[in-house]
Amino acid sequence: QQPVQSPQAVILREGEDAVINCSSSKALYSVHWYRQKHGEAPVFLMILLKGGEQKGHEKISASFNEKKQQSSLYLTASQLSYSGTYFCGTEANSGNTPLVFGKGTRLSVIA
Amino acid sequence: DAGVIQSPRHEVTEMGQEVTLRCKPISGHDYLFWYRQTMMRGLELLIYFNNNVPIDDSGMPEDRFSAKMPNASFSTLKIQPSEPRDSAVYFCASSLSLGSGTQYFGPGTRLLVL
């Protein structure tokens, strides 16, 4: 089943922070985050595996709460280059299953 | 590596015509995925292959859609006959493993059926 992302869209000024959430109704083995810029292909950001870990990637980090079946993506001190649509992809708890992607969160960073 | 290659990048066709989309995955990747992206439904998995064998085609919308992977370096997605509701961006992606493997997406084919 498709994970639910929130918010659907957000507008930030440069330097502001944002949180994007991804929730699943099913137990998860892993959560993947991708970013897609307008007219381009989705690009992998990071993967979080079952175990409740948190990961960082420059000023973009994420957490995974397997008990709540939720993941959050944190963008701090946003830059213009962060603009795009962020997708979470979830892998079922059985593992070794294809990802199911959420509908995405459109992030716009303005000067 | 050149990454995942897709062709054509854009396709405009008339309803009823056959459309063939092509994909060359990253060399050495065992998995190949075909996705369709629309505003309404987001990224939908249509079908995926493992070592050239179709594993799950439950996402293929109807019999008008078919996909093949004759060898490790080439796959096609065919729509026959095409309909206006097939208009979307079609992505091909490949990965080393299934669930936890990073997927590398091609640039996509933007299809418009008139």
Side-chain angles (χ1 to χ4, degrees):
Chain A
Q1 284 184 333
Q2 191 174 42
V4 177
Q5 290 187 233
S6 63
Q8 291 183 330
V10 59
I11 300 175
L12 299 175
R13 291 197 178 275
E14 272 187 297
E16 291 183 337
D17 301 340
V19 180
I20 300 172
N21 299 302
C22 174
S23 296
S24 174
S25 60
K26 293 191 170 185
L28 301 175
Y29 184 81
S30 70
V31 179
H32 302 224
W33 286 97
Y34 286 76
R35 177 172 63 199
Q36 183 180 28
K37 292 187 178 286
H38 182 69
E40 298 181 7
V43 174
F44 173 77
L45 290 177
M46 65 187 77
I47 176 176
L48 299 104
L49 300 175
K50 188 165 71 169
E53 64 177 7
Q54 184 154 356
K55 273 196 169 181
H57 179 76
E58 296 180 345
K59 292 180 181 177
I60 301 175
S61 61
S63 63
F64 176 26
N65 186 326
E66 63 184 274
K67 288 184 179 179
K68 292 185 177 180
Q69 297 158 193
Q70 291 178 348
S71 178
S72 295
L73 186 71
Y74 307 94
L75 300 101
T76 57
S78 59
Q79 306 167 13
L80 294 175
S81 62
Y82 287 2
S83 293
T85 300
Y86 290 78
F87 294 93
C88 67
T90 55
E91 178 189 15
N93 195 39
S94 55
N96 205 34
T97 58
L99 296 182
V100 180
F101 286 94
K103 289 189 177 180
T105 295
R106 181 172 295 182
L107 178 74
S108 301
V109 182
I110 59 176
Chain B
D1 201 318
V4 177
I5 299 172
Q6 289 187 248
S7 64
R9 295 292 307 275
H10 302 273
E11 178 81 31
V12 180
T13 191
E14 293 189 345
M15 183 174 64
Q17 296 297 307
E18 177 180 296
V19 175
T20 299
L21 312 181
R22 297 172 177 80
C23 174
K24 176 179 168 55
I26 292 173
S27 177
H29 281 192
D30 292 334
Y31 289 86
L32 183 141
F33 308 85
W34 282 101
Y35 291 93
R36 179 172 65 177
Q37 185 176 40
T38 60
M39 289 295 293
M40 289 296 294
R41 302 169 75 97
L43 263 173
E44 299 176 276
L45 177 64
L46 300 177
I47 184 172
Y48 75 94
F49 296 82
N50 177 214
N51 292 324
N52 314 338
V53 177
I55 302 301
D56 184 357
D57 65 354
S58 59
M60 298 284 258
E62 45 198 277
D63 292 345
R64 297 184 297 106
F65 286 69
S66 62
K68 294 181 180 180
M69 193 166 184
N71 57 63
S73 58
F74 184 66
S75 178
T76 60
L77 178 67
K78 187 175 292 186
I79 309 173
Q80 166 64 18
S82 57
E83 296 183 3
R85 58 192 168 125
D86 301 331
S87 298
V89 181
Y90 291 82
F91 287 103
C92 172
S94 70
S95 69
L96 287 169
S97 57
L98 184 54
S100 301
T102 300
Q103 291 190 24
Y104 295 86
F105 285 77
T109 296
R110 191 172 297 269
L111 174 65
L112 178 61
V113 183
L114 302 174

Coordinates of all heavy atoms in Angstrom, one line a residue, chain A residues 44-88:
Chain A
F44 N 18.5 9.3 -5.7 CA 18.5 8.7 -4.4 C 19.2 9.6 -3.4 O 20.2 10.2 -3.7 CB 19.3 7.4 -4.4 CG 19.6 6.7 -3.1 CD1 18.6 6.0 -2.4 CD2 20.9 6.8 -2.5 CE1 18.9 5.4 -1.2 CE2 21.1 6.2 -1.3 CZ 20.2 5.5 -0.7
L45 N 18.6 9.8 -2.2 CA 19.2 10.6 -1.1 C 19.8 9.7 0.0 O 20.9 9.8 0.3 CB 18.2 11.5 -0.5 CG 17.7 12.7 -1.4 CD1 16.6 13.5 -0.6 CD2 18.8 13.6 -1.7
M46 N 18.9 8.8 0.5 CA 19.4 8.0 1.6 C 18.4 6.8 1.8 O 17.2 6.9 1.4 CB 19.6 8.8 2.9 CG 18.4 9.4 3.5 SD 18.8 10.4 4.9 CE 19.4 11.9 4.0
I47 N 18.9 5.8 2.5 CA 18.1 4.7 2.9 C 18.2 4.5 4.4 O 19.3 4.7 5.0 CB 18.5 3.4 2.2 CG1 17.7 2.2 2.7 CG2 20.0 3.1 2.4 CD1 18.0 0.9 2.0
L48 N 17.1 4.2 5.1 CA 17.1 3.9 6.5 C 16.5 2.5 6.7 O 15.5 2.2 6.2 CB 16.2 4.9 7.3 CG 16.7 6.3 7.1 CD1 15.9 7.1 6.2 CD2 16.7 7.0 8.5
L49 N 17.3 1.7 7.4 CA 16.9 0.3 7.6 C 16.2 0.1 9.0 O 16.4 0.9 9.9 CB 18.1 -0.6 7.5 CG 18.8 -0.7 6.2 CD1 20.0 -1.5 6.3 CD2 17.9 -1.1 5.1
K50 N 15.4 -0.9 9.1 CA 14.8 -1.3 10.4 C 15.8 -1.2 11.5 O 16.9 -1.8 11.3 CB 14.1 -2.6 10.2 CG 13.2 -3.0 11.4 CD 12.4 -4.2 11.0 CE 13.2 -5.5 11.0 NZ 12.3 -6.7 10.9
G51 N 15.4 -0.6 12.6 CA 16.4 -0.5 13.7 C 16.3 0.9 14.3 O 17.0 1.2 15.3
G52 N 15.5 1.8 13.7 CA 15.3 3.1 14.2 C 16.4 4.0 14.1 O 16.7 4.9 14.9
E53 N 17.2 3.9 13.0 CA 18.4 4.7 12.9 C 18.0 6.1 12.3 O 17.0 6.4 11.8 CB 19.4 4.0 11.9 CG 18.9 3.9 10.5 CD 19.9 3.3 9.6 OE1 21.0 2.8 10.1 OE2 19.7 3.2 8.4
Q54 N 19.0 7.0 12.4 CA 18.9 8.3 11.9 C 20.2 8.5 11.0 O 21.3 8.1 11.3 CB 18.9 9.3 13.0 CG 18.7 10.8 12.4 CD 18.0 11.7 13.4 OE1 17.6 11.2 14.5 NE2 17.9 12.9 13.1
K55 N 20.0 9.1 9.9 CA 21.1 9.3 8.9 C 21.2 10.8 8.5 O 20.2 11.5 8.6 CB 20.9 8.5 7.7 CG 21.4 7.1 7.8 CD 21.5 6.4 6.4 CE 22.3 5.2 6.5 NZ 22.5 4.5 5.2
G56 N 22.3 11.2 8.1 CA 22.5 12.6 7.7 C 23.2 12.6 6.4 O 24.0 11.7 6.0
H57 N 22.9 13.7 5.6 CA 23.5 13.9 4.3 C 23.6 15.4 4.1 O 22.7 16.0 3.7 CB 22.6 13.2 3.3 CG 23.0 13.4 1.9 ND1 24.1 12.7 1.3 CD2 22.6 14.2 0.9 CE1 24.2 13.0 0.1 NE2 23.4 13.9 -0.2
E58 N 24.8 15.9 4.4 CA 25.0 17.4 4.5 C 23.9 18.0 5.4 O 23.9 17.6 6.6 CB 24.9 18.0 3.1 CG 25.9 17.5 2.1 CD 25.8 18.1 0.8 OE1 24.8 18.6 0.4 OE2 26.8 18.0 0.0
K59 N 23.1 18.8 5.0 CA 22.1 19.4 5.9 C 20.8 18.8 5.8 O 19.7 19.3 6.2 CB 22.0 20.9 5.6 CG 23.2 21.7 5.9 CD 23.1 23.2 5.6 CE 24.3 23.9 5.9 NZ 24.2 25.4 5.6
I60 N 20.7 17.6 5.2 CA 19.5 16.8 5.0 C 19.7 15.5 5.8 O 20.6 14.8 5.6 CB 19.2 16.5 3.6 CG1 19.1 17.8 2.8 CG2 18.0 15.7 3.4 CD1 18.9 17.6 1.3
S61 N 18.8 15.3 6.7 CA 18.9 14.1 7.5 C 17.5 13.4 7.6 O 16.5 14.0 7.2 CB 19.4 14.4 8.9 OG 18.6 15.3 9.6
A62 N 17.5 12.2 8.1 CA 16.2 11.5 8.2 C 16.2 10.5 9.4 O 17.3 10.1 9.9 CB 15.9 10.7 6.9
S63 N 15.0 10.2 9.9 CA 14.9 9.3 10.9 C 13.8 8.2 10.5 O 13.0 8.5 9.6 CB 14.4 10.0 12.2 OG 13.2 10.6 12.0
F64 N 13.9 7.1 11.2 CA 12.9 6.0 10.9 C 12.5 5.4 12.2 O 13.3 4.9 13.0 CB 13.6 5.0 10.0 CG 12.8 3.7 9.7 CD1 11.4 3.8 9.7 CD2 13.4 2.5 9.4 CE1 10.7 2.6 9.4 CE2 12.7 1.4 9.1 CZ 11.3 1.4 9.1
N65 N 11.2 5.5 12.5 CA 10.6 4.9 13.7 C 9.8 3.7 13.2 O 8.7 3.9 12.8 CB 9.7 6.0 14.4 CG 9.2 5.4 15.7 OD1 8.9 4.3 15.9 ND2 9.1 6.3 16.7
E66 N 10.4 2.5 13.4 CA 9.7 1.4 12.8 C 8.5 1.0 13.6 O 7.5 0.5 13.1 CB 10.7 0.2 12.8 CG 11.2 -0.3 14.2 CD 12.2 -1.4 14.1 OE1 11.7 -2.6 14.0 OE2 13.4 -1.1 14.1
K67 N 8.4 1.4 14.9 CA 7.2 1.1 15.7 C 6.0 1.9 15.2 O 4.9 1.4 15.2 CB 7.5 1.3 17.2 CG 8.4 0.3 17.8 CD 8.5 0.6 19.3 CE 9.4 -0.5 20.0 NZ 9.6 -0.2 21.4
K68 N 6.3 3.1 14.8 CA 5.2 4.0 14.4 C 5.1 3.8 12.8 O 4.2 4.5 12.3 CB 5.5 5.4 14.7 CG 5.4 5.7 16.2 CD 5.5 7.2 16.5 CE 5.4 7.5 18.0 NZ 5.5 9.0 18.2
Q69 N 5.9 3.1 12.2 CA 5.9 2.9 10.8 C 6.0 4.3 10.1 O 5.2 4.5 9.1 CB 4.7 2.1 10.3 CG 4.7 0.7 10.9 CD 3.3 0.1 11.0 OE1 3.1 -0.9 11.6 NE2 2.3 0.7 10.3
Q70 N 6.9 5.1 10.6 CA 7.0 6.4 10.0 C 8.5 6.8 9.8 O 9.4 6.3 10.5 CB 6.5 7.5 11.0 CG 5.0 7.4 11.2 CD 4.5 8.4 12.3 OE1 5.3 9.0 13.0 NE2 3.2 8.6 12.4
S71 N 8.7 7.7 8.8 CA 10.0 8.2 8.6 C 9.8 9.7 8.4 O 8.8 10.2 7.9 CB 10.7 7.6 7.4 OG 11.9 8.2 7.2
S72 N 10.8 10.5 8.8 CA 10.8 11.9 8.6 C 12.1 12.4 8.0 O 13.2 11.9 8.3 CB 10.6 12.7 9.9 OG 9.3 12.4 10.5
L73 N 12.0 13.3 7.0 CA 13.1 13.9 6.4 C 13.3 15.3 6.9 O 12.3 16.1 6.8 CB 12.9 13.9 4.8 CG 14.1 14.3 4.0 CD1 15.3 13.3 4.1 CD2 13.7 14.5 2.5
Y74 N 14.5 15.7 7.3 CA 14.7 17.0 7.9 C 15.6 17.8 7.0 O 16.7 17.3 6.7 CB 15.4 16.9 9.3 CG 14.6 16.0 10.2 CD1 14.9 14.6 10.4 CD2 13.5 16.5 11.0 CE1 14.2 13.8 11.2 CE2 12.9 15.7 11.9 CZ 13.2 14.3 12.0 OH 12.5 13.5 12.8
L75 N 15.2 19.0 6.6 CA 16.0 19.8 5.8 C 16.3 21.1 6.6 O 15.4 21.8 7.0 CB 15.3 20.2 4.5 CG 15.0 19.0 3.6 CD1 13.5 18.6 3.7 CD2 15.4 19.3 2.1
T76 N 17.5 21.3 6.9 CA 17.9 22.5 7.7 C 18.6 23.5 6.9 O 19.4 23.2 6.0 CB 18.8 22.1 8.9 OG1 20.0 21.4 8.4 CG2 18.1 21.1 9.8
A77 N 18.4 24.8 7.3 CA 19.0 25.9 6.6 C 18.9 25.7 5.1 O 19.9 25.7 4.3 CB 20.5 26.0 7.0
S78 N 17.7 25.6 4.6 CA 17.4 25.3 3.2 C 18.1 26.2 2.2 O 18.3 27.4 2.5 CB 15.9 25.2 2.9 OG 15.3 26.5 3.2
Q79 N 18.5 25.6 1.1 CA 19.1 26.4 0.0 C 18.2 26.3 -1.2 O 17.3 25.4 -1.3 CB 20.5 25.8 -0.3 CG 21.4 25.6 0.9 CD 22.6 24.7 0.6 OE1 22.9 24.4 -0.6 NE2 23.3 24.3 1.6
L80 N 18.4 27.2 -2.2 CA 17.6 27.2 -3.4 C 17.7 25.8 -4.1 O 16.7 25.4 -4.7 CB 18.1 28.3 -4.3 CG 17.9 29.7 -3.8 CD1 18.5 30.7 -4.8 CD2 16.4 30.0 -3.7
S81 N 18.9 25.2 -4.0 CA 19.1 23.9 -4.7 C 18.2 22.8 -4.1 O 18.2 21.7 -4.7 CB 20.5 23.6 -4.6 OG 21.0 23.4 -3.3
Y82 N 17.6 23.0 -2.9 CA 16.8 22.0 -2.3 C 15.4 21.8 -3.0 O 14.7 20.9 -2.7 CB 16.6 22.2 -0.8 CG 17.9 22.0 0.0 CD1 19.1 21.6 -0.5 CD2 17.8 22.2 1.4 CE1 20.2 21.4 0.3 CE2 18.9 22.0 2.2 CZ 20.1 21.6 1.6 OH 21.2 21.4 2.4
S83 N 15.1 22.8 -3.8 CA 13.8 22.8 -4.4 C 13.6 21.5 -5.2 O 14.5 21.1 -5.9 CB 13.6 24.0 -5.3 OG 13.5 25.2 -4.5
G84 N 12.4 21.0 -5.2 CA 12.1 19.7 -5.9 C 11.0 19.0 -5.2 O 10.4 19.4 -4.2
T85 N 10.7 17.8 -5.7 CA 9.7 16.9 -5.1 C 10.4 15.8 -4.4 O 11.3 15.1 -5.0 CB 8.7 16.4 -6.1 OG1 8.1 17.5 -6.8 CG2 7.7 15.5 -5.5
Y86 N 10.1 15.6 -3.1 CA 10.7 14.5 -2.3 C 9.8 13.4 -2.2 O 8.6 13.5 -1.8 CB 11.1 15.1 -0.9 CG 12.2 16.1 -1.0 CD1 12.0 17.4 -1.4 CD2 13.5 15.7 -0.7 CE1 13.0 18.3 -1.5 CE2 14.6 16.6 -0.7 CZ 14.3 17.9 -1.2 OH 15.4 18.8 -1.2
F87 N 10.3 12.2 -2.5 CA 9.5 11.0 -2.4 C 10.1 10.0 -1.4 O 11.3 9.9 -1.3 CB 9.5 10.2 -3.7 CG 8.9 10.9 -4.9 CD1 9.6 11.7 -5.8 CD2 7.5 10.7 -5.1 CE1 9.0 12.3 -6.8 CE2 6.9 11.4 -6.2 CZ 7.6 12.2 -7.0
C88 N 9.2 9.4 -0.6 CA 9.7 8.3 0.2 C 9.2 7.0 -0.5 O 8.2 6.9 -1.2 CB 9.1 8.3 1.6 SG 7.3 8.1 1.8

